Amino acid sequence: MIDIKITENKLDITACLTMAQDLGSGGIATFIGTVRNITKGKPVIRLEYECYRSMATKEIQKIADQAVSLFSVRNVVVHHRTGVLFPGDAAVMIVVSNGHRDAVFDACRYIIDTIKQTVPIWKKEFFEDGEEWVSAHP
């Protein structure tokens, strides 16, 4: 099972875990990317994520398909926020389940690293003294 969602609504880790859970999986790995309150020494007031939704959804689907193929995992859930987020908010949730822990850890890392490299989701950070678009590859 693969579930991909891009939303302006708050992300729900319980819903993600429920979707990825099955009786054949002995391990579940999660990654939750959250908004930091500081970047390069500057306090962050808020972020805004924008995306080309249909293309971003297709790219995340492709990454999830690759993760299933490369790591033989059973279930992948990827939910990503767009819109205005504040420090502490969850921006992305990834849940991967399978029979063994090595596969779920590897797949989870592969998914977040590849999303940051290839998916058209852009982040703008707002500081007290201005704003700037941020590269996904610091």
Side-chain angles (χ1 to χ4, degrees):
M1 181 281 304
I2 294 174
D3 185 72
I4 309 298
K5 181 163 64 174
I6 297 174
T7 180
E8 292 193 4
N9 299 319
K10 185 176 179 179
L11 301 179
D12 181 350
I13 189 61
T14 302
C16 293
L17 287 167
T18 299
M19 281 185 245
Q21 190 171 27
D22 72 46
L23 296 178
S25 292
I28 299 172
T30 62
F31 174 80
I32 301 173
T34 59
V35 177
R36 290 184 303 267
N37 67 353
I38 194 160
T39 296
K40 298 178 184 170
K42 295 172 67 173
V44 174
I45 297 171
R46 71 178 191 275
L47 300 179
E48 288 183 13
Y49 282 98
E50 295 181 12
C51 77
Y52 177 21
R53 189 177 300 263
S54 64
M55 182 179 282
T57 302
K58 285 180 186 174
E59 286 298 312
I60 294 172
Q61 179 70 48
K62 187 166 60 176
I63 293 165
D65 290 340
Q66 291 168 340
V68 168
S69 176
L70 291 169
F71 304 102
S72 298
V73 291
R74 298 167 61 93
N75 302 295
V76 174
V77 176
V78 180
H79 291 182
H80 202 299
R81 287 269 315 262
T82 57
V84 177
L85 285 78
F86 296 93
D89 286 346
V92 61
M93 291 183 177
I94 299 169
V95 178
V96 178
S97 66
N98 189 42
H100 302 285
R101 66 182 175 270
D102 288 343
V104 296
F105 285 131
D106 292 344
C108 207
R109 180 170 194 105
Y110 172 82
I111 292 166
I112 188 62
D113 288 350
T114 310
I115 285 173
K116 288 179 122 346
Q117 293 171 359
T118 66
V119 176
I121 296 176
W122 304 283
K123 180 171 69 174
K124 190 179 209 178
E125 289 184 319
F126 291 81
F127 307 100
E128 289 180 1
D129 60 350
E131 60 196 51
E132 90 182 53
W133 289 100
V134 178
S135 168
H137 314 290

